[in-house]
Amino acid sequence: MATDRNQAAESDLLRFIAAGSVDDGKSTLIGRLLYDSKSIFEDQISALENTTRKRGQEGMDLSLLTDGLLAEREQGITIDVAYRYFATPRRKFIIADTPGHEQYTRNMVTGASTADLAIVLIDARKGVRTQSRRHAYLAHLLAVPHLVIAVNKMDAVDYAQPVFERIKADFSGFISELGARNVRYVPISALKGDMVVDRGENLDWYDGPTLLAVLESAEVATEGDNEAFRFPVQLVARPGGGRDQRGYLGRIESGTVAVGDKVTVLPAAISTSVTRIHTHDGDLQLASAPQSITLELEHEIDISRGDMIVHAASEPWGKSAPAITQTLEAHVCWLHEQPLDRRRPYLVKHTTRTVNALFEEIAYTVDVNTLERASDVSVLNMNDIAHVKLKLHRPLVCDSYEQNRPTGSFIVIDPASNATVAAGMIATD
Amino acid sequence: MSIALVDVNAGRAAKRAPRVRLSELDVLESEAIHIMREVAAGCTTPALLFSGGKDSAVLLRLAEKAFRPGRFPFPLLHIDTGHNFPEVIEFRDWRAKELGERLIVRSVEDSIASGRAVEKPGQGRNSLQSVTLLDSIAELGLDACIGGARRDEEKARAKERIFSFRDSFGQWDPKNQRPELWDLYNTRVHPGENIRVFPISNWTELDVWQYIARENIALPSIYFAHQREVVRRPGGLLPVSHLVQPRAGEAVETLQLRFRTVGDMTCTCPVESGAATLQEIIDETARTRITERGATRMDDQTSEASMELRKKEGYF
Ligand SMILES: Nc1nc2c(ncn2[C@@H]2O[C@H](COP(=O)(O)OP(=O)(O)O)[C@@H](O)[C@H]2O)c(=O)[nH]1
């Protein structure tokens, strides 16, 4: 079906997160994007009109589109991250919709971990607030490649250009302090629809793209563009079962590999070369992130899950070797109600390798509202962001998070409860 | 796999490494393969839930992509309501045999006969599947069940993790889910607990149909337009069968239609459609203005939160 394939290839995928404090208009904005891009179905519209009417209002409250579960409505709260999907002829979008209450840091970190773009909402009437800085900081910490500052509720300030310009000037100092690149400002009214999907007639002084146009055109840097080849082994297929050679199953996390390439297996540091790249659809000469493949190698080497195959240093793109280390310096976000207990070992899951780890040192925590650092901290509570030093029972093969999101990130699991208690981003040393 | 190469001919001296450009479907496919392999590596006794429907037919193709030429590291498990379309059961058995993989069938009828599940008149059996599923999980000692649910289906699904943890009662607690970051999945459970794994969480209905067309995946015939006798009930059309007979005063109509989902025959409604080929179904899906479940599942219309309530009881 060659034609379908081409159709699919033209529109790619953008994952984004919308961040805002309660009442900044995040639900209305997501509802607006879904509605104006005609991603809402008739049965959803009639349900929406019904619910709006039941609540004694007129028309259709778009914020109800993302209204959550029974458990949430009963308790008047929103839980956690919800994922929503819509498509335009240009692109498919996945929105990580995170609610704006106290557990915000935890949820936003979760949603931002896979995002290509973050929208930070600012209420035009209120201007830049502490939370706006927090949201931009978290997006930057998670290395979300694009940041869009959407100044919402422009209708409530008579669509006045000076209001927008003042907010932009207020915020850009902070943004450059962060060192964030790829930042854009868009004035919008989620309620009336101006500059979201359609330009509207009220913001003629703004000549930039609509919010949707920004979403449609933001360049998605896949890890395939990162030239360092990283292949964590997921599974080993033994000879037999239709195979006469050992195969190493996994997904390319970054870079590209070709048949004949010289590679090194880490952490053992044994060199060999790629003899075959196998998939169910046939053999390939070349494969790139994020393809799932099976590699066959020239030499019989003892390789197991958790090992990483990278280019040998002699290859043109093999210069940036990953670190092999038993200590990690990292930013972590504590995600669990039960605080960190430094006496106990935890499990660190990094790529396909899981090792025992001790939190040896908490260098400092970061106040996400002021960005001030506090040292002399001995415990981490839910939503805390800290710079820590971990001691590992066995070595990890890793890059810094800044260089490589997939090989620079890890989660921390409590072996007693099996809960995921923290998320980590490996620091550049 | 799409095979548009960038810079290949520029060779190894090029400033930028050559790379393969992937389409959106390729990316979704690779994500699903990665997820299945994480299940194989991290779980001890997984199973793949195979209903004979289109989403689970896609799962089987993804399992082939993940594990062939080896065997699947899990059996296929069907929770049979006893209210299935005969075409679907026939397809299920044919496909399992074609793959040469083990198919385990557990039936809701048995749960009803043994008194474990009680039928509620007029409500269909989709929700009773939970009882049989939980019993099967205990019987077979499963620690993971791979399912074909998608987040775009329903709002309770939108909050679902890819690796969705269930306690020892099989319950889903939306307030107490494990955070899921990057592609680092936590597969650990204590004995008696289990995980539901949804490799196609991020696919939409349209993605599924495009993938079926691209991969030429066989499906039960009822997904394609055909003539069938139906009665009109509040909530939708219902196919006439030994389970659904016209009530007094109801007219039986013969219409051209197809099913968008397959489930319990007594509450799964077909839509009127002339789409007889995959391409026609794709076009129709791209144009359609009604959600998959809104159009076809009477049980999901019962209350605004039907799916959420069923999931808390252990539903997929
Ligand atoms: N005037 C105006 N009000 C808005 C706009 N967007 C949202 N609101 C209102 O702000 C309130 C909070 O919106 P909501 O979307 O629920 O905020 P959330 O808590 O961030 O999801 C609601 O009363 C909205 O109608 C806007 O563009 N202009």
Side-chain angles (χ1 to χ4, degrees):
Chain A
M1 307 281 296
T3 49
D4 295 327
R5 199 164 293 186
N6 293 340
Q7 268 172 10
E10 279 165 20
S11 69
D12 54 350
L13 188 66
L14 183 93
R15 295 174 189 248
F16 71 94
I17 179 172
S21 307
V22 178
D23 283 348
D24 283 349
K26 188 172 56 66
S27 314
T28 309
L29 173 63
I30 293 176
R32 171 63 63 191
L33 278 168
L34 298 174
Y35 187 75
D36 283 2
S37 66
K38 309 207 165 33
S39 310
I40 307 295
F41 296 103
E42 278 164 17
D43 51 326
Q44 292 172 307
I45 293 175
S46 56
L48 204 61
E49 285 167 345
N50 273 336
T51 317
T52 310
R53 210 171 314 121
K54 262 191 241 160
R55 299 192 182 184
Q57 289 154 311
E58 302 258 302
M60 179 167 43
D61 182 348
L62 284 177
S63 74
L64 297 177
L65 259 179
T66 57
D67 203 29
L69 307 178
L70 191 64
E72 297 171 290
R73 286 199 299 278
E74 280 169 353
Q75 300 165 38
I77 50 160
T78 31
I79 296 159
D80 218 272
V81 190
Y83 293 89
R84 319 204 177 270
Y85 302 79
F86 75 101
T88 66
R90 299 271 309 270
R91 227 175 213 180
K92 177 180 168 180
F93 298 95
I94 304 181
I95 315 175
D97 179 7
T98 55
H101 57 85
E102 333 76 60
Q103 288 189 3
Y104 198 76
T105 300
R106 166 193 144 130
N107 294 330
M108 183 168 165
V109 165
T110 304
S113 71
T114 50
D116 305 302
L117 180 149
I119 300 174
V120 172
L121 276 170
I122 295 182
D123 184 333
R125 299 172 308 182
K126 296 181 182 157
V128 175
R129 287 182 301 160
T130 311
Q131 292 94 321
S132 324
R133 281 193 278 271
R134 173 173 75 182
H135 298 147
Y137 168 71
L138 291 175
H140 181 64
L141 181 72
L142 273 290
V144 178
H146 300 269
L147 190 58
V148 180
I149 316 299
V151 179
N152 188 31
K153 308 200 184 180
M154 287 303 294
D155 60 297
V157 296
D158 295 329
Y159 297 100
Q161 183 174 10
V163 175
F164 174 71
E165 298 298 343
R166 192 159 56 241
I167 289 173
K168 192 171 162 180
D170 272 3
F171 210 44
S172 47
F174 175 75
I175 293 292
S176 51
E177 221 177 287
L178 277 183
R181 281 163 288 162
N182 297 327
V183 186
R184 266 185 182 283
Y185 294 80
V186 185
I188 62 167
S189 167
L191 190 67
K192 310 280 183 202
D194 301 281
M195 227 37 93
V196 180
V197 171
D198 305 314
R199 295 194 71 83
E201 280 156 18
N202 300 304
L203 291 163
D204 289 340
W205 47 264
Y206 167 81
D207 53 14
T210 61
L211 185 62
L212 183 67
V214 172
L215 297 175
E216 285 185 325
S217 61
E219 198 179 317
V220 180
T222 68
E223 295 298 337
D225 296 325
N226 183 334
E227 294 179 349
F229 170 60
R230 301 286 183 263
F231 186 78
V233 175
Q234 271 189 295
L235 288 169
V236 180
R238 313 263 158 211
R243 213 180 263 287
D244 44 290
Q245 255 259 297
R246 271 192 200 183
Y248 305 100
L249 283 64
R251 187 177 58 176
I252 304 175
E253 295 296 354
S254 67
T256 293
V257 68
V259 174
D261 282 1
K262 299 259 178 301
V263 293
T264 305
V265 182
L266 297 173
I270 300 169
S271 291
T272 178
S273 60
V274 175
T275 51
R276 185 175 175 209
I277 304 171
H278 175 78
T279 74
H280 185 61
D281 298 299
D283 287 1
L284 304 175
Q285 284 307 306
L286 193 72
S288 297
Q291 278 180 293
S292 287
I293 54 168
T294 301
L295 282 185
E296 288 178 8
L297 304 176
E298 191 185 354
H299 301 100
E300 278 282 322
I301 308 172
D302 187 20
I303 299 178
S304 48
R305 173 175 167 86
D307 289 343
M308 181 139 31
I309 301 175
V310 306
H311 269 146
S314 58
E315 290 288 322
W317 296 283
K319 300 293 178 255
S320 59
I324 301 169
T325 178
Q326 273 187 266
T327 56
L328 276 187
E329 292 211 22
H331 281 103
V332 295
C333 176
W334 198 259
L335 305 169
H336 206 261
E337 279 150 19
Q338 203 176 349
L340 164 69
D341 180 348
R342 286 178 56 198
R343 294 165 306 183
R344 291 174 39 205
Y346 288 86
L347 292 167
V348 162
K349 182 173 183 184
H350 169 263
T351 65
T352 55
R353 179 178 279 240
T354 304
V355 300
N356 281 304
L358 276 172
F359 281 76
E360 206 171 44
E361 193 188 316
I362 304 174
Y364 57 85
T365 54
V366 180
D367 182 328
V368 289
N369 295 323
T370 60
L371 298 198
E372 269 162 28
R373 292 175 178 187
S375 42
D376 238 1
V377 189
S378 58
V379 71
L380 294 181
N381 290 305
M382 185 153 76
N383 295 315
D384 280 351
I385 305 264
H387 190 103
V388 299
K389 199 171 187 183
L390 292 160
K391 209 171 121 199
L392 310 173
H393 188 64
R394 288 196 305 139
L396 290 183
V397 181
C398 55
D399 296 288
S400 74
Y401 185 72
E402 205 184 318
Q403 277 167 356
N404 200 315
R405 277 168 112 185
T407 56
S409 51
F410 61 88
I411 55 170
V412 181
I413 298 168
D414 179 340
S417 66
N418 286 333
T420 303
V421 293
M425 291 139 280
I426 298 170
T428 333
D429 38 32
Chain B
M1 196 138 2
S2 99
I3 302 294
L5 297 181
V6 180
D7 264 354
V8 184
N9 298 327
R12 318 235 66 190
K15 283 212 190 72
R16 196 176 232 304
R19 71 198 145 99
V20 181
R21 273 231 162 270
L22 302 174
S23 72
E24 172 219 326
L25 276 186
D26 295 329
V27 172
L28 291 172
E29 176 190 72
S30 182
E31 177 182 70
I33 295 171
H34 176 251
I35 291 163
M36 289 217 183
R37 289 173 173 175
E38 284 301 282
V39 173
C43 305
T44 20
T45 41
L48 185 148
L49 299 171
F50 178 50
S51 65
K54 69 178 191 310
D55 298 307
S56 58
V58 166
L59 286 185
L60 290 184
R61 172 56 48 87
L62 293 166
E64 290 182 271
K65 299 239 180 179
F67 303 111
R68 289 291 187 246
R71 289 179 56 89
F72 294 178
F74 36 67
L76 317 181
L77 172 63
H78 183 219
I79 305 301
D80 186 346
T81 57
H83 282 179
N84 284 293
F85 293 91
E87 295 92 333
V88 176
I89 296 299
E90 199 182 310
F91 171 79
R92 174 197 75 188
D93 294 339
W94 167 80
R95 183 69 181 125
K97 194 153 170 248
E98 186 192 43
L99 283 168
E101 299 290 344
R102 187 158 74 107
L103 171 69
I104 302 171
V105 179
R106 289 292 176 268
S107 96
V108 173
E109 299 278 1
D110 290 345
S111 303
I112 294 170
S114 68
R116 293 275 300 142
V118 181
E119 220 160 357
K120 295 176 202 149
Q123 290 215 4
R125 287 181 173 179
N126 286 334
S127 71
L128 298 185
Q129 283 178 291
S130 307
V131 176
T132 314
L133 175 64
L134 294 181
D135 286 351
S136 315
I137 287 172
E139 175 205 336
L140 303 166
L142 303 178
D143 63 348
C145 291
I146 301 170
R150 308 187 318 268
R151 287 173 178 154
D152 81 326
E153 279 179 73
E154 210 274 342
K155 66 183 169 196
R157 296 265 193 232
K159 303 220 159 181
E160 182 76 90
R161 297 294 184 267
I162 291 177
F163 281 69
S164 177
F165 175 77
R166 305 300 163 97
D167 65 16
S168 51
F169 296 95
Q171 294 178 43
W172 180 63
D173 178 2
K175 282 199 291 180
N176 201 8
Q177 301 194 74
R178 291 177 178 174
E180 204 160 71
L181 295 103
W182 299 288
D183 299 326
L184 293 169
Y185 305 111
N186 179 351
T187 56
R188 295 172 63 91
V189 291
H190 290 299
E193 300 168 343
N194 68 89
I195 296 180
R196 307 289 165 78
V197 185
F198 303 112
I200 59 169
S201 286
N202 286 325
W203 299 41
T204 60
E205 187 184 12
L206 190 58
D207 293 326
V208 167
W209 281 112
Q210 285 178 334
Y211 191 71
I212 288 168
R214 176 180 117 168
E215 298 286 322
N216 242 319
I217 295 173
L219 291 182
S221 55
I222 65 169
Y223 279 112
F224 301 91
H226 58 283
Q227 301 276 326
R228 189 179 281 263
E229 292 189 338
V230 289
V231 290
R232 275 180 209 278
R233 297 259 164 98
L237 303 169
L238 272 187
V240 175
S241 66
H242 67 285
L243 297 166
V244 176
Q245 288 293 315
R247 294 175 186 151
E250 263 180 355
V252 175
E253 299 170 64
T254 303
L255 298 175
Q256 165 102 330
L257 36 81
R258 69 180 185 89
F259 290 85
R260 281 173 73 186
T261 63
V262 300
D264 182 331
M265 256 197 292
T266 66
C267 62
T268 302
C269 312
V271 292
E272 289 190 61
S273 164
T277 66
L278 287 173
Q279 191 55 52
E280 283 164 4
I281 292 176
I282 290 172
D283 293 343
E284 191 178 279
T285 306
R287 276 197 319 265
T288 188
R289 304 301 312 147
I290 307 211
T291 61
E292 184 175 313
R293 285 188 175 267
T296 64
R297 291 288 181 96
M298 279 185 171
D299 50 343
D300 283 333
Q301 297 166 10
T302 323
S303 96
E304 245 195 294
S306 330
M307 172 69 85
E308 179 186 353
L309 297 174
R310 268 188 282 145
K311 274 166 59 64
K312 283 192 181 155
E313 287 165 7
Y315 194 67
F316 308 128

